Amino acid sequence: DMHSKVRVYGRFQIPPFSRPTKLRSAIRMGLKLDRAGLIPQSVLIDHGASVIRMIHLAVRAGARKIILVGVDLLNSPYFFEEDPSFLLQIGAPKFSRTPESGNHGTVERRPGSESVANFLSQLRIVLLEDTGVQLMAMRPSQALNGIMPEFSG
């Protein structure tokens, strides 16, 4: 039956901080609450990008080395933007984003938020220092260059 196959998840939003040390503290607290079992398994740490949630899922699964592949943080079209008829076929409302800069909307810092690139940089540090988990990129994109080490095999 469909009900047994549907999974619902929530998001635990890490608040933005202008100082990296405060952002790292907030990330540490979120991960500590998770390890203590105080965040339900259906809730993932978030910061406005699916890559953050997938990293958290990998950490929960016990990954010791996480390699980001295909994470460019550019305005690459979503699959349903490449084929606009897809949403019509399933009766979903039209979705469109209006990129202004060519960067993914999560790359640039907006008022009251921290860029995903900065968040990933601080998450990488916390994971390595606190748990020994290594976070790397197969080929760091321009947005990740300098903040994400390249996986070398």
Side-chain angles (χ1 to χ4, degrees), residues 3-143:
H3 187 353
S4 65
K5 296 177 183 169
V6 174
R7 299 289 181 259
V8 177
Y9 80 94
R11 302 175 185 189
F12 177 76
Q13 185 76 20
I14 300 289
F17 290 98
S18 58
R19 290 184 22 214
T21 54
K22 288 197 177 263
L23 181 56
R24 281 194 303 272
S25 293
I27 293 168
R28 272 193 175 93
M29 181 57 67
L31 291 171
K32 183 178 180 180
L33 291 171
D34 187 50
R35 284 191 303 269
L38 298 174
I39 296 178
Q41 288 295 298
S42 61
V43 175
L44 297 170
I45 288 176
D46 189 29
H47 195 72
S50 55
V51 66
I52 304 295
R53 297 183 296 276
M54 296 306 100
I55 290 168
H56 186 202
L57 205 54
V59 169
R60 277 189 176 166
R64 303 298 303 153
K65 189 180 287 186
I66 302 168
I67 302 154
L68 304 179
V69 178
V71 177
D72 58 10
L73 298 180
L74 299 174
N75 263 327
S76 306
Y78 293 115
F79 71 92
F80 52 82
E81 291 175 312
E82 289 179 345
D83 179 8
S85 67
F86 176 80
L87 293 177
L88 291 172
Q89 290 172 7
I90 63 169
K94 183 179 176 184
F95 175 84
S96 174
R97 21 178 208 169
T98 52
E100 296 176 13
S101 68
N103 288 328
H104 192 279
T106 54
V107 171
E108 296 171 355
R109 186 171 183 197
R110 295 159 297 188
S113 114
E114 188 61 55
S115 76
V116 170
N118 284 342
F119 189 90
L120 283 170
S121 171
Q122 301 309 310
L123 178 60
R124 183 188 71 77
I125 292 168
V126 169
L127 287 174
L128 188 59
E129 289 179 354
D130 292 10
T131 65
V133 171
Q134 298 176 53
L135 181 58
M136 297 167 276
M138 191 64 162
R139 289 192 182 93
S141 66
Q142 184 177 354

